[in-house]
């Protein structure tokens, strides 16, 4: 069956100054129900009332690795606010993820998308693909490619969602 | 290992290697591969652009996309589609003044070997009806389905009743009447009308498998070319049907499928039979060589998935490009100052594709 692929505008880190979050026009927010490394199930619906940054990533993705620290900085700067990060790893073995986290400890849950089903539902065929979900559990913004998530323009967007 | 066991093992290995088509172990297992495509636009003038094909978007029971990512210095990049066939690509653009435009696209995907048993119809096989059926029967700019194409196909399929019988007759005709021409640039553009009119039936996969597709479509059998690149050696003992190194820059290869009720899409590759004839060591094999006969039997109904499928597109209009439509999208394309670079010359355009299998 032919399927047309929706054009997804992407911005490079090299153009970080101009990089902006794109307003989401992709329709309804797909469900997200995945286990973390400890076997705990996370449901996006359970985070209703909070702003959630959903980041699809993989250890083999260099831009994903490069932007991770900025996501952590953003999270730390919003400590105490209703803000959460869910990092969804696409289809990699547990051991490889754990080895990565030994080198780069993260303060947010890493969820396992073992069959890439969530990535496909979220149209995250290219990584990193990052979605900002509003307190109403609807995707508000999307960004494909590397971004400095601790930059001022991004913080401003998140702050607006938190208001 | 003692000497006796060693001799037995060696004898078994020698016997296996002598078999025309060696059955690979665990061929139904999924394998994960990674390709890295690096593109540099040399001597840029003005705005530069590049288009890099991505793995096929739709998952199948023989290929699944894990994901893609990229790095580089483009001012902007986007995942784009041709809009008709769903052929996806990374489209990158560099501003005037960028001295060394570069983009590196990494893709991960899974494959497993594919075979259709044409003696056993499947009750819940995929169906093809209405617009989709018409889509895969339609002519393209280089693959007309009337005139000499249809006339040839009617002669070739005389007496054949079912779609499988027609496809089989066309497959055998392509194998018997065409040849792989090593002088063809790239994989050939698939101008099958000119081939038939001139009587020169030489070419490569882009020509020979397009011939299969055009002849099939012209007699009502849905068919399509599938464009991609070889990513690993053949596990079946054919040096000509795989790649021998991680550098797969020049390993582009297209295949074909036809649709048959009760079976769904059926993989074929008559062009690879002709490749075995020409290239399988020691080279220039006879058509009745056991290795050719074994490949001929297998390549009607099966594909070894040491190959990555990009897309099934024809007459591809590259988004944002100033040039004309492409017959297909299998190579890296780039332009600078509105002038397309030669996609068949990876040194002129400077691109490399490397591949490796990813073990857990």
């Amino acid at each position: 069956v032919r399927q047309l692929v929706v054009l997804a505008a992407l911005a490079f880190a090299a153009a970080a100054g101009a990089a902006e979050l794109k307003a989401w026009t992709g329709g309804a927010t797909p469900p997200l129900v995945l286990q973390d490394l400890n076997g705990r199930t996370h449901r996006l619906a359970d985070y209703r009332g909070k702003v959630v940054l959903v980041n699809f990533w993989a250890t083999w993705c260099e831009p994903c690795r490069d932007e991770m620290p900025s996501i952590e900085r953003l999270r730390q700067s919003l400590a105490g606010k209703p803000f959460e990060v869910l990092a969804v790893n696409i289809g990699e073995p547990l051991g490889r993820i754990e080895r990565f986290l030994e080198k780069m400890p993260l303060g947010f849950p890493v969820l396992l998308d073992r069959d890439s089903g969530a990535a496909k539902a979220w149209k995250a065929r290219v990584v990193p693909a990052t979605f900002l979900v509003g307190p109403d559990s609807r995707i508000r913004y999307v960004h494909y490619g590397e971004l400095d998530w601790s930059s001022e323009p991004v913080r401003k967007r998140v702050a607006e969602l938190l208001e | 290992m003692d000497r006796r066991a060693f001799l037995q093992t060696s004898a078994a290995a020698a016997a296996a290697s002598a078999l025309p088509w060696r059955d690979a172990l665990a061929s139904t297992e999924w394998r994960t591969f990674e390709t890295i495509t690096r593109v540099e636009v040399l001597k840029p003038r003005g705005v530069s652009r590049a288009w890099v094909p991505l793995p096929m978007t739709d998952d199948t029971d023989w290929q699944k996309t894990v994901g893609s990512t990229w790095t580089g210095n483009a001012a902007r990049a986007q995942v784009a589609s041709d809009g008709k066939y769903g052929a996806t690509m990374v489209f990158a653009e560099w501003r005037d003044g960028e001295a060394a435009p570069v983009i590196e696209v990494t893709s991960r995907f899974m494959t497993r070997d594919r075979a259709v048993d044409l003696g056993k119809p499947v009750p819940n096989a995929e169906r093809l009806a209405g617009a989709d059926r018409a889509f895969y029967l339609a002519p393209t700019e280089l693959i007309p389905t009337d005139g000499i194409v249809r006339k040839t196909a009617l002669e070739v399929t005389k007496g054949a009743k079912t779609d499988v019988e027609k496809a089989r007759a066309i497959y055998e005709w392509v194998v018997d009447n065409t040849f792989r021409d090593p002088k063809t640039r790239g994989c050939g553009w698939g101008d099958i009308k000119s081939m038939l009119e001139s009587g020169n039936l030489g070419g490569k996969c882009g020509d020979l498998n397009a011939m299969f597709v055009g002849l099939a479509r012209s007699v009502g059998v849905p068919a399509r070319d599938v464009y991609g690149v070889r990513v690993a050696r053949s596990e079946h003992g054919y040096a000509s049907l795989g790649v021998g190194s991680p550098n797969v820059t020049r390993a582009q290869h297209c295949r074909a499928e036809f649709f048959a009720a009760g079976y769904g899409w059926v993989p074929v590759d008559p062009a690879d039979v002709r490749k075995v004839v020409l290239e399988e060591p020691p080279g220039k094999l006879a058509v009745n060589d056991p290795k050719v006969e074994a490949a001929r039997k297998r390549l009607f109904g099966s594909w070894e998935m040491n190959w990555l499928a990009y897309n099934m597109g024809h007459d591809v209009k590259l988004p944002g490009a100033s040039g004309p439509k492409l017959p297909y999208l299998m190579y890296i394309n780039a332009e600078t100052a509105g002038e397309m670079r030669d996609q068949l010359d990876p040194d002129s355009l400077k691109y490399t594709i490397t591949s490796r299998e990813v073990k857990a």
Side-chain angles (χ1 to χ4, degrees):
Chain A
V1 177
R2 283 172 290 134
Q3 286 185 356
L4 298 184
V5 175
V6 178
L7 287 177
L10 307 172
F12 265 122
E20 289 181 3
L21 296 171
K22 258 183 82 75
W24 175 249
T25 56
T29 302
L32 187 72
V33 183
L34 293 170
Q35 288 187 335
D36 64 20
L37 301 180
N38 300 315
R40 183 189 156 207
T41 299
H42 294 252
R43 294 176 179 80
L44 182 64
D46 292 342
Y47 290 88
R48 195 175 182 85
K50 296 182 176 181
V51 173
V52 185
L53 185 153
V54 180
N55 172 251
F56 287 87
W57 72 287
T59 63
W60 51 266
C61 161
E62 185 182 330
C64 302
R65 298 195 303 265
D66 288 349
E67 73 169 2
M68 274 289 186
S70 75
I71 295 175
E72 177 65 9
R73 283 197 298 275
L74 175 67
R75 186 192 71 81
Q76 288 176 1
S77 72
L78 294 170
K81 303 270 177 64
F83 176 78
E84 300 285 348
V85 175
L86 299 174
V88 181
N89 176 274
I90 303 176
E92 292 191 276
L94 192 58
R96 190 175 302 152
I97 301 168
E98 287 175 337
R99 283 195 296 278
F100 172 81
L101 293 175
E102 283 169 13
K103 293 176 194 159
M104 189 182 289
L106 300 171
F108 44 82
V110 171
L111 311 187
L112 304 174
D113 185 17
R114 295 179 194 278
D115 64 355
S116 309
K120 276 150 198 164
W122 284 64
K123 298 186 175 73
R125 291 280 180 141
V126 294
V127 286
T130 309
F131 302 82
L132 268 180
V133 179
D136 56 0
S137 291
R138 287 192 301 129
I139 300 172
R140 298 300 188 83
Y141 296 100
V142 63
H143 185 82
Y144 299 95
E146 184 184 343
L147 186 64
D148 180 356
W149 290 92
S150 61
S151 69
E152 198 48 43
V154 173
R155 288 176 196 268
K156 194 177 165 195
R157 287 282 186 225
V158 175
E160 287 168 5
L161 291 176
L162 285 168
E163 282 174 3
Chain B
M1 184 184 291
D2 63 33
R3 185 169 178 274
R4 186 189 178 109
F6 172 77
L7 289 173
Q8 285 174 343
T9 305
S10 301
S17 66
L19 290 173
W21 186 282
R22 199 164 58 218
D23 283 327
L25 293 172
S27 60
T28 56
E29 295 294 318
W30 286 100
R31 300 167 73 188
T32 301
F33 292 95
E34 178 182 277
T35 56
I36 300 176
T37 303
R38 181 180 175 84
V39 183
E40 295 175 54
V41 182
L42 303 177
K43 298 178 183 172
R45 289 177 286 118
V47 173
S48 297
R49 300 183 179 90
W51 296 263
V52 181
L54 289 174
M56 198 166 66
T57 306
D58 293 341
D59 285 349
T60 62
D61 62 2
W62 45 272
Q63 181 174 307
K64 295 179 184 175
T65 298
V66 176
S68 295
T69 189
W70 55 83
T71 58
N73 57 11
R76 72 184 181 100
Q78 64 186 40
V79 173
S81 165
D82 75 315
K84 184 176 180 184
Y85 291 86
T88 55
M89 65 205 86
V90 173
F91 167 39
E93 189 172 84
W94 294 267
R95 294 189 190 96
D96 186 3
E98 176 55 58
V102 61
I103 185 167
E104 191 168 285
V105 179
T106 301
S107 295
R108 284 208 176 189
F109 53 94
M110 300 166 71
T111 70
R112 67 177 175 185
D113 289 353
R114 179 183 185 197
V116 175
D117 184 348
L118 289 167
K120 289 183 186 171
V122 182
N124 59 351
E126 181 184 348
R127 293 167 191 272
L128 191 72
D132 283 333
R133 187 174 182 83
F135 189 81
Y136 291 113
L137 287 173
T140 73
E141 287 188 7
L142 289 180
I143 305 180
T145 54
D146 58 0
I148 194 170
V149 176
R150 181 166 159 77
K151 180 174 174 287
T152 304
L154 287 172
E155 289 167 8
V156 169
T157 59
K158 205 169 182 180
K161 291 183 175 61
T162 66
D163 284 355
V164 172
E165 289 173 358
K166 288 177 185 174
R168 167 73 80 177
I170 293 167
Y171 174 87
E172 303 295 357
W173 185 88
V174 171
V175 171
D176 285 333
N177 291 277
T178 68
F179 64 96
R180 181 176 172 87
D181 183 350
K183 292 178 181 166
T184 300
R185 287 198 79 210
C187 290
W189 292 118
D191 185 353
I192 65 169
K193 181 166 176 273
S194 297
M195 290 171 70
L196 290 168
E197 284 175 344
S198 68
N200 180 357
L201 300 182
K204 289 186 184 165
C205 66
D207 302 307
L208 310 193
N209 285 338
M211 182 68 77
F212 174 88
V213 168
L215 293 175
R217 287 186 181 189
S218 74
V219 289
V221 180
R224 59 193 183 188
D225 288 288
V226 189
Y227 298 96
V229 62
R230 297 184 208 267
V231 294
R233 69 173 191 163
S234 170
E235 297 294 331
H236 297 299
Y238 284 76
S240 61
L241 300 184
V243 285
S245 86
N247 186 334
V248 299
T249 304
R250 295 171 191 269
Q252 287 82 4
H253 177 57
C254 53
R255 293 172 164 175
E257 295 177 303
F258 71 94
F259 190 89
Y263 301 98
W265 286 102
V266 179
V268 298
D269 198 343
D272 257 1
V273 181
R274 295 307 314 190
K275 193 166 193 283
V276 170
V277 170
L278 181 71
E279 296 180 8
E280 190 62 26
K284 296 185 180 174
L285 303 182
V287 174
N288 62 358
D289 184 283
K291 270 207 144 177
V292 176
E293 287 186 337
R296 182 176 190 154
K297 185 179 170 193
R298 295 287 188 140
L299 291 170
F300 187 81
S302 73
W303 285 349
E304 181 182 6
M305 285 306 296
N306 58 340
W307 172 80
L308 161 66
Y310 287 138
N311 62 70
M312 300 154 184
H314 288 279
D315 305 331
V316 175
K317 176 67 182 165
L318 296 175
S322 52
K325 288 179 184 173
L326 306 175
Y328 51 77
L329 177 65
M330 187 162 63
Y331 294 94
I332 314 304
N333 283 266
E335 70 173 29
T336 186
E339 185 181 309
M340 292 298 287
R341 291 284 167 94
D342 184 354
Q343 60 173 312
L344 298 184
D345 186 354
D347 294 324
S348 150
L349 176 59
K350 199 164 184 187
Y351 66 82
T352 57
I353 309 172
T354 57
S355 168
R356 72 180 179 99
E357 184 168 3
V358 179
K359 302 285 187 184

